[in-house]
Every structure is written in structure tokens, then in C-alpha cells.
Amino acid sequence: MTAANVYQQRPTSGAKAESSLHHADLASLVGKGRKNAGVTVREKKLLGHLTIRGDGHDAAFAAGVHKALGIELPSALTVIVKGETSLQWMGPDEWLLIVPTGEEFAAEKKLREVLGDLHIQIVNVSGGQQILELSGPNVRQVLMKSTSYDVHPNNFPVGKAVGTVFAKSQLVIRHTAEDTWELLIRRSFSDYWWLWLQDASAEYGLSVQA
């Protein structure tokens, strides 16, 4: 176990937690809009986000992460999804762990316990980013409008994840299922991307899922 101090950063005293799109009141839009919409958006809000840094070539590090999470270290430009938990490659020595709401504290403690005295870094970044999930038959067309990155199935299969320019800014696109994609976005840009998606999806119809 490392000597690093680990704190519960999520309020447990009844403090009100709001997503970065709270003002958009997406819940009020559920069930409205065009029937059989080509694009459905779901805000995956207030999840636990942890960045993990270590030597991916170190067998002890890779084995420790697998033991703590039950997920193998993803290779370059990939994301592994296991239920509501995912682990994504972000760089040669960096990965992003996303866990259900409230589980990030326990996940960090488990990782630090298993990884022991290895040279690692774990940072809770839950407050700075979130995910918008896009699903439906026309999501790929919306992505083609929004990014210059090639999202053709031959180049962007399920399980791939890349950081790229999107709508004049930057985010991460994750292809998690055949017709399901996730946008990993910075909290401060949430409103901009929500407005962009409404416009880019207009011709196909956009629905909101709770």
C-alpha cells in the first residue's frame, strides 16, 4: 500500500449534486420529439472517473490492475467495457477508469492496495468530465458531420476509442456497441456540445433517454 492519502471526494452529507447539463433539464425532454428518431442521447452523469498512470510493460502493474478491476489493461486506442465499468487507453502510460456513481473511492483504494509500492499515479477527475451516450441508426452520420476522424466501420470498430477534434473543440469518441457511441466531454464544454448535437441531429430526429 502506498503512503498516498486517499479521500472520499463525493459529498456524503446530503449535498446536492448536479451534472453539467442540469440547466438543460433533459429529463423533461424524455418521450418528446420525433418518433423513431435516428439518434438518441443519454447523459451518463455523475459517474466516477479515475486516471491511472503506470508502466504498461510492467507485468506486475498489468496484473495488479487486472486483479483490482477484473479487466485487462486495454491496448492503444481501445476501451474495454464490463457492465457499467470501463477502462480506456489514453496514452502510453495512462488509462481512464469509469465506475458507477459513488464507487470511485473504493476503486482507488483497491487499486492502491493491490499495486503496493509500484510507481503509479491515480487521480480522481470525476468533477471535470462526463459522458454523453449516442445510440441509433444515424449516429455515424452525425459523427461524420462533427469530426474529420474516419468513423467508417473498417477504421472505427466497436471497442475503439480516440481523442479527436469534434465541433471545433476536443473530446474522446468511444465506440462501445454496434449502434452506440460515447462522447467523453469536458464539463465546461457540455452546453456547447449539447447545442451542437441538437443541430447536427435535427434531420434524423433526436430523442432523449433518461
Side-chain angles (χ1 to χ4, degrees), residues 160-172:
K160 187 171 183 176
V162 299
T164 185
V165 174
F166 187 101
K168 299 182 180 181
S169 189
Q170 291 183 321
L171 49 62
V172 173

Side-chain angles (χ1 to χ4, degrees), residues 78-138:
T78 62
V79 58
I80 297 176
V81 180
K82 184 178 180 181
E84 296 183 358
T85 298
S86 66
L87 186 62
Q88 177 189 338
W89 182 92
M90 300 294 286
D93 64 352
E94 181 177 359
W95 292 263
L96 173 68
L97 171 67
I98 298 180
V99 297
T101 303
E103 295 186 13
E104 60 274 17
F105 182 46
E108 180 175 356
K109 289 199 297 182
K110 181 65 174 178
L111 281 164
R112 290 189 181 279
E113 175 186 343
V114 171
L115 295 173
D117 295 325
L118 294 179
H119 185 61
I120 63 166
Q121 180 187 68
I122 303 173
V123 180
N124 187 332
V125 295
S126 305
Q129 57 191 36
Q130 71 175 66
I131 286 179
L132 293 179
E133 179 189 83
L134 304 178
S135 59
N138 296 115

Side-chain angles (χ1 to χ4, degrees), residues 13-209:
S13 60
K16 188 176 182 180
E18 295 180 346
S19 79
S20 56
L21 284 175
H22 172 75
H23 67 285
D25 194 14
L26 298 187
S28 68
L29 301 178
V30 174
K32 299 180 180 179
R34 187 188 306 178
K35 293 183 178 180
N36 300 317
V39 179
T40 298
V41 62
R42 180 167 72 101
E43 183 187 18
K44 301 179 72 171
K45 57 186 179 181
L46 304 178
L47 300 179
H49 294 233
L50 298 170
T51 59
I52 306 169
R53 303 199 71 168
D55 183 0
H57 298 292
D58 182 350
F61 174 73
V65 171
H66 181 256
K67 181 178 180 180
L69 306 177
I71 302 176
E72 298 282 354
L73 275 181
S75 57
L77 302 180
T78 62
V79 58
I80 297 176
V81 180
K82 184 178 180 181
E84 296 183 358
T85 298
S86 66
L87 186 62
Q88 177 189 338
W89 182 92
M90 300 294 286
D93 64 352
E94 181 177 359
W95 292 263
L96 173 68
L97 171 67
I98 298 180
V99 297
T101 303
E103 295 186 13
E104 60 274 17
F105 182 46
E108 180 175 356
K109 289 199 297 182
K110 181 65 174 178
L111 281 164
R112 290 189 181 279
E113 175 186 343
V114 171
L115 295 173
D117 295 325
L118 294 179
H119 185 61
I120 63 166
Q121 180 187 68
I122 303 173
V123 180
N124 187 332
V125 295
S126 305
Q129 57 191 36
Q130 71 175 66
I131 286 179
L132 293 179
E133 179 189 83
L134 304 178
S135 59
N138 296 115
V139 174
R140 196 183 300 273
Q141 283 80 2
V142 170
L143 296 177
M144 290 169 64
K145 288 183 178 185
S146 307
T147 180
S148 59
Y149 195 86
D150 184 2
V151 295
H152 188 277
N154 292 340
N155 186 63
F156 212 134
V158 173
K160 187 171 183 176
V162 299
T164 185
V165 174
F166 187 101
K168 299 182 180 181
S169 189
Q170 291 183 321
L171 49 62
V172 173
I173 304 176
R174 299 152 46 110
H175 195 184
T176 55
E178 189 59 38
D179 285 328
T180 304
W181 305 69
E182 292 180 346
L183 304 181
L184 176 66
I185 63 177
R186 291 197 298 273
R187 182 182 180 93
S188 57
F189 280 79
S190 297
D191 186 60
Y192 169 66
W193 280 311
W194 167 235
L195 294 173
W196 179 279
L197 288 173
Q198 290 178 75
D199 182 71
S201 303
E203 65 178 292
Y204 311 111
L206 177 67
S207 66
V208 176
Q209 183 180 26

